[in-house]
Amino acid sequence: MRKESIIRIWVLNAIVALLSLSLIACSSNKAGGSKASVGSYSGSVYTVKRGDTLYRISRMTGSSVGTLARLNSISAPYTLEIGQKIRVKSSSGSSKSKKTAVAKSTKSHSSSRSSIAKVAPPPVGSKCWRWPTTGKIIEPFSNSEGGNKGIDIAGSRGQPIYASAAGTVVYVGDQLRGYGNLVMIKHSEDYITAYAHNDTTLVNNGQKVSAGQKIATMGSTGSNTVNLHFQIRYRATAIDPQRYLPPQGSKPSC
């Protein structure tokens, strides 16, 4: 039970990190484009824009996820549509109190983002990584706000996807909008990798995998093209995989 509890905690932390830090902002998002935009908020109604999640809206409006879900009859996994009108707090509250709540939420989010941004990236060569698959990089990593927090690798449907390093599978599912079938692997207390848009997944939650083990096949779930979206996160912060991977087609020298 203790091991299962630890795995559940890691799954939750990993998902929250991915949602709150990048919201994936993949170029393959259903709405298209590589940068997320912010929805409009007027009075007691919020208009959903590309990249929005119920969690993000809750931070911007000062309403809890539970309250938003209840007011709008939205059930898990809280899928939203572009242009959807979301009721937020009751309009009976004063404008001043609403502005204060939003300001506090924005300040908290900015402070959290700032503290995360201060995490120094690990030195190149500090850990061995393997390419999860081969193919042309169609969308590189971007550290800008709303940028692509991984790399997108083109390929063919059914192409093998491999674990980039040994570790434990902490998430297998399709509950994160924009990722499709997603696999996440914890490699240590510092590192976690994510493999998105899979056609099929070949591993289960809690399963230990070795470096180079086949974990999925390439697909287009959550995307309009066949590709793999691959992320490496160091202490919850996305880092550029191409800085740490060996030359494509070669094995790591470490």
Side-chain angles (χ1 to χ4, degrees):
M1 289 299 294
R2 183 178 179 184
K3 180 179 179 182
E4 293 175 356
S5 297
I6 293 173
I7 291 173
R8 283 196 295 270
I9 291 171
W10 251 94
V11 171
L12 178 60
N13 289 343
I15 293 173
V16 170
L18 286 170
L19 285 172
S20 61
L21 293 175
S22 70
L23 302 173
I24 211 49
C26 296
S27 60
S28 57
N29 190 289
K30 291 181 181 179
S34 62
K35 291 187 178 181
S37 55
V38 178
S40 58
Y41 176 39
S42 176
S44 59
V45 177
Y46 180 93
T47 304
V48 176
K49 291 295 188 295
R50 178 174 55 83
D52 279 337
T53 65
L54 211 59
Y55 173 80
R56 185 184 190 188
I57 295 173
S58 75
R59 297 299 300 271
M60 295 180 67
T61 63
S63 299
S64 69
V65 171
T67 297
L68 293 175
R70 177 177 54 80
L71 287 175
N72 297 277
S73 300
I74 301 174
S75 56
Y78 308 129
T79 301
L80 303 177
E81 298 295 332
I82 295 174
Q84 182 177 348
K85 304 295 183 182
I86 300 295
R87 291 174 56 201
V88 293
K89 282 184 176 180
S90 171
S91 58
S92 60
S94 68
S95 175
K96 181 178 180 181
S97 63
K98 288 180 181 178
K99 290 180 180 178
T100 300
V102 173
K104 287 182 178 179
S105 176
T106 303
K107 182 178 180 181
S108 173
H109 183 62
S110 298
S111 299
S112 175
R113 189 169 57 202
S114 297
S115 64
I116 291 171
K118 292 178 181 178
V119 174
V124 174
S126 58
K127 184 173 179 60
C128 286
W129 298 105
R130 296 169 179 255
W131 278 85
T133 193
T134 56
K136 180 181 179 180
I137 306 298
I138 55 176
E139 185 73 20
F141 176 87
S142 172
N143 209 25
S144 62
E145 182 70 18
N148 192 32
K149 299 311 176 188
I151 55 174
D152 296 349
I153 308 171
S156 57
R157 190 176 305 279
Q159 183 172 318
I161 305 298
Y162 304 102
S164 191
T168 302
V169 178
V170 292
Y171 180 83
V172 177
D174 60 358
Q175 300 301 301
L176 276 72
R177 186 182 180 190
Y179 285 88
N181 293 328
L182 172 69
V183 174
M184 296 168 64
I185 301 175
K186 174 188 173 184
H187 304 284
S188 67
E189 294 304 317
D190 290 332
Y191 290 101
I192 190 167
T193 53
Y195 312 74
H197 308 314
N198 303 307
D199 187 46
T200 59
T201 52
L202 308 174
V203 290
N204 301 307
N205 284 318
Q207 180 178 337
K208 292 188 179 300
V209 295
S210 56
Q213 180 176 332
K214 185 177 179 181
I215 59 172
T217 60
M218 189 180 293
S220 57
T221 56
S223 170
N224 52 19
T225 60
V226 176
N227 74 96
L228 169 68
H229 176 76
F230 174 64
Q231 289 190 15
I232 299 177
R233 286 186 173 267
Y234 175 71
R235 298 179 181 174
T237 300
I239 56 178
D240 185 356
Q242 287 186 275
R243 284 195 62 201
Y244 299 92
L245 291 168
Q248 190 167 176
S250 64
K251 294 182 179 180
S253 57
C254 49

